[in-house]
């Protein structure tokens, strides 16, 4: 039986080195660290069959002599602790990477990701410590039940809107654009009035999110729905209504199921990805559709003088509501920027991926 060198894969954190030795059914293992050099010897089935395998690594910086390892049927996992919490540029003292050594991309993190992982672990430990000392909320189940039912009702409402509009589009084609409001508005009124609870829930502490982002969205949508579309009969037959309603419902049929699963501490990876990805094209398109509706309504407000603002004598009779809409357009796109930044930060936090880098 000859002595060969196994394939070894490595990764690091600030305090540890992880080695994965590709050796199945390993036996008679000898693993130790002396004078900053790790020595491995053992028998098992490697790349060239059943043989004796050994290797040694002289580490770049000092490590502790204690070594922990765990053998499985397919590999040997080794953990070596660094003397100091530090990030190494490479693993070994020699600059040229040994031929048998390669990065373990399954566990690889760059320095910034490792720091973030460390902070998350510390935050989790602190949270567990705080929760262990904090009295459990006796109404937690009731709160979760309320939030689950709220999100379920909203999901069913927006699903009805989305399915109804999709079926009508396939059957009637473009003709469905012109009577969208008269067909869908009642359900949309219900869902958007109910959405006011999304501002109240964080205000009373039912959910741990900010008040500003949902307030911007709820106020903006209700302004479009009740003021621009609901108060102007001439706007209700315009095709833009279809696009506004369709874009709103397309986002919500993904968002509300995600929150429903969160209420029962469940995650579905596909749904999580959709929740934090689908808004990237749909949210700006929705704001553009809302802006088109506002612009189309301005001549109507000028002509009908609806909601016009009385002025003092000497400044004219009334100020058209369309001037308010000009200001609203500016605030709308400012709100788009603020909400987009908030959602993008959430997306980075939820969908953070591990970056790979070579030796």
């Amino acid at each position: 039986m000859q002595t060969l060198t196994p394939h070894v894969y490595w990764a690091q954190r600030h305090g540890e080195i992880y080695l994965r030795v590709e050796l199945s059914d390993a036996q008679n293992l000898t693993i130790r660290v002396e004078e900053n050099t790790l020595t491995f010897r053992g028998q098992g089935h490697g790349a060239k069959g059943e043989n004796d395998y050994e290797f040694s690594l002289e580490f770049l910086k000092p490590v502790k002599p204690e070594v922990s390892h765990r053998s499985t049927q397919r590999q040997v996992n080794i953990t070596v602790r660094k003397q100091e919490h530090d990030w190494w540029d490479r693993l070994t003292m020699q600059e040229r990477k040994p031929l048998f050594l390669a990065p373990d991309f399954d566990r690889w993190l760059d320095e910034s990701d490792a720091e973030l992982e460390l902070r998350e672990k510390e935050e989790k430990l602190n949270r567990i410590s705080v929760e262990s000392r904090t009295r459990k909320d006796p109404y937690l189940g009731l709160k979760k039940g309320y939030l689950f039912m709220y999100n379920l009702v909203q999901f069913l409402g927006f699903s009805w809107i989305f399915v109804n509009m999709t079926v009508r589009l396939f059957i009637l084609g473009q003709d469905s654009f012109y009577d969208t409001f008269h067909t869908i508005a009642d359900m949309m009124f219900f869902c958007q009035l109910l959405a006011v609870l999304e501002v109240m829930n964080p205000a009373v502490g039912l959910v741990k999110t900010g008040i500003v982002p949902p307030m911007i969205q709820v106020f903006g949508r209700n302004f479009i729905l009740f003021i621009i579309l609901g108060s102007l009969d001439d706007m209700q037959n315009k095709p833009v209504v279809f696009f506004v309603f369709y874009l709103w419902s397309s986002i919500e049929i993904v968002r509300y199921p995600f929150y429903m699963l969160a209420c029962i501490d469940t995650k579905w990876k596909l749904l999580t990805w959709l929740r934090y990805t689908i808004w990237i094209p749909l949210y700006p398109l929705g704001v553009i559709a809302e802006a088109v509706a506002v612009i189309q309504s301005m001549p109507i407000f000028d002509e009908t003088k609806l909601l016009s603002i009385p002025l003092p004598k000497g400044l004219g009779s009334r100020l058209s509501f369309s001037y308010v809409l000009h200001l609203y357009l500016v605030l709308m796109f400012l709100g788009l920027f603020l909400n987009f930044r908030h959602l993008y930060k959430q997306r980075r936090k939820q969908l953070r991926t591990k970056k790979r880098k070579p030796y």
Side-chain angles (χ1 to χ4, degrees):
M1 185 177 294
Q2 57 181 331
T3 302
L4 303 174
T5 304
H7 293 300
V8 181
Y9 301 89
W10 79 284
Q12 68 170 317
R13 298 296 185 268
H14 284 85
E16 297 88 19
I17 295 294
Y18 303 119
L19 300 174
R20 175 165 57 87
V21 184
E22 290 294 296
L23 191 64
S24 59
D25 299 322
Q27 300 176 10
N28 302 325
L29 294 177
T30 301
I31 306 171
R32 62 174 179 265
V33 173
E34 294 179 348
E35 298 181 356
N36 210 46
T37 299
L38 180 138
T39 304
F40 175 95
R41 291 187 180 88
Q43 297 175 345
H45 192 90
K48 295 185 178 180
E50 191 76 25
N51 285 291
D52 292 332
Y53 288 88
E54 67 177 37
F55 69 89
S56 63
L57 292 171
E58 183 181 4
F59 294 116
L60 177 66
K61 296 182 181 181
V63 298
K64 296 181 179 180
E66 299 83 9
V67 180
S68 61
H69 73 276
R70 182 172 60 88
S71 300
T72 67
Q73 291 183 344
R74 301 183 58 184
Q75 61 196 24
V76 180
N77 297 307
I78 303 172
T79 301
V80 181
R81 296 188 178 278
K82 299 176 181 178
Q83 286 281 10
E84 297 180 358
H85 282 248
D86 191 14
W87 196 259
W88 296 1
D89 296 331
R90 61 180 188 273
L91 178 63
T92 61
M93 182 66 71
Q94 63 185 99
E95 293 187 6
R96 188 173 182 179
K97 176 179 73 66
L99 295 177
F100 63 87
L101 188 65
D104 186 351
F105 288 126
D106 290 336
R107 304 191 70 170
W108 193 271
L109 292 181
D110 65 14
E111 185 174 5
S112 60
D113 285 338
E115 290 176 348
L116 183 58
E117 182 187 69
L118 181 61
R119 287 199 299 269
E120 289 177 349
K121 287 182 179 179
E122 291 175 349
E123 290 173 359
K124 184 177 180 180
L125 290 174
N126 291 335
R127 186 166 58 251
I128 293 173
S129 177
V130 171
E131 289 175 353
S132 65
R133 297 193 304 266
T134 305
R135 186 177 179 181
K136 291 186 177 180
D137 186 354
Y139 302 105
L140 182 60
L142 185 61
K143 292 176 180 178
K144 286 189 174 183
Y146 155 74
L147 291 173
F148 182 88
M149 289 305 301
Y150 166 77
N151 288 297
L152 175 61
V153 170
Q154 289 288 62
F155 170 64
L156 294 175
F158 279 105
S159 295
W160 183 90
I161 293 171
F162 181 83
V163 172
N164 192 303
M165 294 181 68
T166 302
V167 171
R168 287 172 53 79
L169 179 63
F170 275 103
I171 294 175
L172 303 177
Q174 294 185 4
D175 291 341
S176 67
F177 292 175
Y178 302 99
D179 62 348
T180 297
F181 186 88
H182 302 289
T183 307
I184 305 297
D186 288 342
M187 182 60 73
M188 187 62 78
F189 282 142
F190 170 78
C191 290
Q192 283 306 129
L193 282 173
L194 195 61
V196 175
L197 292 174
E198 294 186 27
V199 180
M200 298 175 60
N201 289 339
V204 299
L206 284 175
V207 294
K208 296 179 180 179
T209 58
I211 298 177
V212 175
M215 184 169 61
I216 292 175
Q217 177 172 304
V218 171
F219 172 80
R221 286 189 179 182
N222 285 348
F223 183 87
I224 297 296
L225 181 61
F226 290 97
I227 303 300
I228 303 299
L229 303 179
S231 65
L232 296 176
D233 292 341
D234 292 343
M235 284 295 301
Q236 295 172 4
N237 297 321
K238 292 186 178 294
V240 70
V241 179
F242 174 88
F243 294 101
V244 170
F245 285 6
Y246 204 72
L247 289 166
W248 287 357
S249 60
S250 298
I251 294 174
E252 304 302 24
I253 60 174
V254 172
R255 187 167 71 98
Y256 286 115
F258 173 81
Y259 290 146
M260 285 167 56
L261 292 182
C263 291
I264 55 176
D265 300 320
T266 303
K267 271 193 175 183
W268 182 19
K269 288 184 178 180
L270 176 60
L271 186 61
T272 301
W273 183 86
L274 287 172
R275 162 68 182 97
Y276 290 103
T277 304
I278 197 171
W279 63 267
I280 295 176
L282 295 184
Y283 183 51
L285 287 174
V287 173
I288 291 173
E290 294 172 22
V292 170
V294 171
I295 293 171
Q296 290 182 351
S297 72
M298 288 179 181
I300 303 175
F301 279 111
D302 287 338
E303 181 180 350
T304 61
K305 301 187 184 304
L306 183 66
L307 301 179
S308 59
I309 303 170
L311 293 175
K313 292 182 179 180
L315 295 178
S317 58
R318 307 181 75 84
L319 179 67
S320 175
F321 189 68
S322 63
Y323 291 101
V324 176
L325 295 181
H326 282 87
L327 176 61
Y328 178 76
L329 283 175
V330 176
L331 296 176
M332 178 188 295
F333 285 98
L334 177 61
L336 170 64
F337 170 75
L338 294 175
N339 257 350
F340 199 94
R341 186 175 65 173
H342 170 74
L343 291 169
Y344 187 72
K345 286 181 179 179
Q346 284 189 328
R347 184 178 190 274
R348 288 189 63 185
K349 182 178 179 180
Q350 292 288 336
L351 305 180
R352 180 176 60 84
T353 56
K354 298 179 180 180
K355 301 177 183 178
R356 298 183 175 184
K357 64 186 287 188
Y359 175 78

